[in-house]
Amino acid sequence: MTLRKGEKTTISIQEHMAIDVCPGPIKPIKQISDYFPRFPRGLPAAVGRSGTLRPAVSQPSVGPTETAREDDEDVDQLFGAYGTTPAPPPAKCPPAEEAVDPEGYESDDCTALGTLDFSLLYDQENNALHCTINKAKGLKPMDHNGLADPYVKLHLLPGASKANKLRTKTLRNTLNPTWNETLTYYGITDEDMIRKTLRISVCDEDKFRHNEFIGETRIPLKKLKPNQTKNFSICLEKQLPIDKTEDKSLEERGRILISLKYSSQKQGLLVGIIRCAHLAAMDANGYSDPYVKTYLKPDEDKKSKHKTAVKKKTLNPEFNEEFCYEIKHGDLAKKTLEVTVWDYDIGKSNDFIGGVVLGINAKGERLKHWFDCLKNKDKKIERWHTLTNELPGAVLSD
C-alpha cells in the first residue's frame, strides 16, 4: 500500500491484536550466566545461552534445527555445536588416562608419600649386598604435629619375614630425613641376584601404637651389575600385597659361611664357623638364640663333636670360631663333615634350625667345597651353604 505525503498510517484493531497475540518466535530471557559463560580450557571464544558467539570467533551459519535446542542445554555442548570447526585430532593421540595428570596414581604417590634416595652394590667376591639409605624427601605427615618419625626397613623377597629384615635408625620429627646408613646382606649368591627382589619400606615409628606404613618400593636384584654401585631416586608407592602362597623353600632355614683348610703343620682339618645369615626364627619374639655343632663322621668314638658359643636374639650371628680335627690327609676322602645349627632354649630341648653335610657323597657346592679342600693343602677356602631342614642320617637331637 502506497501512502501520500503527509498521510498517516492507520492500523485496524484486528491487525493490532494480531501483532500483540502473535509476536513471533519467543526468545529465551537472558540470564546472568550468559555474561560469564564457561568454556573448554584454552579456548578464547565466548558462548551465550542464546547460542550466539561473541567476538573472537566468527559467527557460523546455523540451521533451523539448531535453534530448537532446549534452553537448559549445557554451555559446553553449545560450544561444540556452534563453535568453529575443530582442528583434527593428532594421529595416535594417547588416551587421557595416560597423560600426565596431577591427580594420577604416580603423581599422587610422589606428592603424598615422598621420594627415597638410596644406592645398591652387589659385592660378588664377598657374596654381600650393600644397601646405602641416603635420604627421603617430602614424606607423608603421620603424627598430630604434621611430622613423622621415619625409619627404613629392608626385606628380601621371597624369604622368611624376620630372617632377612634389616632397618635403619629412627629420625624424629622430620619429613625430610637423612640417614646415610649402609645395611648389608651376607650370603647373597649369583642365583639370588637373578630371582630375588629387594623391598624397601619407609615407616613411621610410634611409641604408643603400632608403627605405621608410609610407602615402599621394590627393586629386582637382576637390575644390578656385580661390583657396580647403582643409585636410585624413586617415588614411594602404596603398600603392595606379598604373595602368601610363595614356595617355602629350604633357603628359609638360613645360610652358613664355613671355611675348610687341611693344615700340614697340625696334621688335621681346620673347620671354621664364621657366620650365619637369614636363619629361621624359632622363638616367640621372632628371633633365635643360635649356636653351631660340627661332627666328622663316621665317628665311632663319638669324640668329634664341637660346639660354638650361643648368640642371643639374632638371626644373623657371627661366630668366628675354628675347630681342629686331627686326621691324616688320605683319610679325609672317607669322611663326612656334618654341620648343624640349633636354637638354644632354657628348660626344654633345643630346636633344630638347619644343617648341611659336606663330603664325597654331597652334591653341588657342598661337594666342590670338600674337593677343593682336599686338593689344596694349607689353603683356607670359604663358601656359603644353604641350610636344609632335613639331613639324612644326622642326629637331630641335642
Side-chain angles (χ1 to χ4, degrees), residues 150-222:
Y151 65 92
V152 177
K153 182 170 58 176
L154 306 183
H155 184 194
L156 276 178
L157 302 174
S161 178
K162 283 276 187 180
N164 57 36
K165 278 188 180 177
L166 302 175
R167 62 162 286 176
T168 67
K169 61 187 176 183
T170 301
L171 300 181
R172 302 291 178 185
N173 297 322
T174 178
L175 299 179
N176 300 285
T178 299
W179 289 281
N180 290 329
E181 207 172 322
T182 299
L183 308 174
T184 302
Y185 282 105
Y186 295 98
I188 301 298
T189 63
D190 291 342
E191 182 184 356
D192 293 327
M193 298 301 295
I194 294 174
R195 65 185 187 88
K196 282 189 173 290
T197 296
L198 179 64
R199 179 191 184 197
I200 305 178
S201 308
V202 181
C203 302
D204 171 61
E205 186 176 289
D206 200 313
K207 292 182 179 179
F208 305 105
R209 297 180 299 173
H210 290 295
N211 295 341
E212 296 179 287
F213 175 85
I214 298 177
E216 71 168 43
T217 186
R218 298 187 185 186
I219 306 296
L221 297 185
K222 61 185 178 182

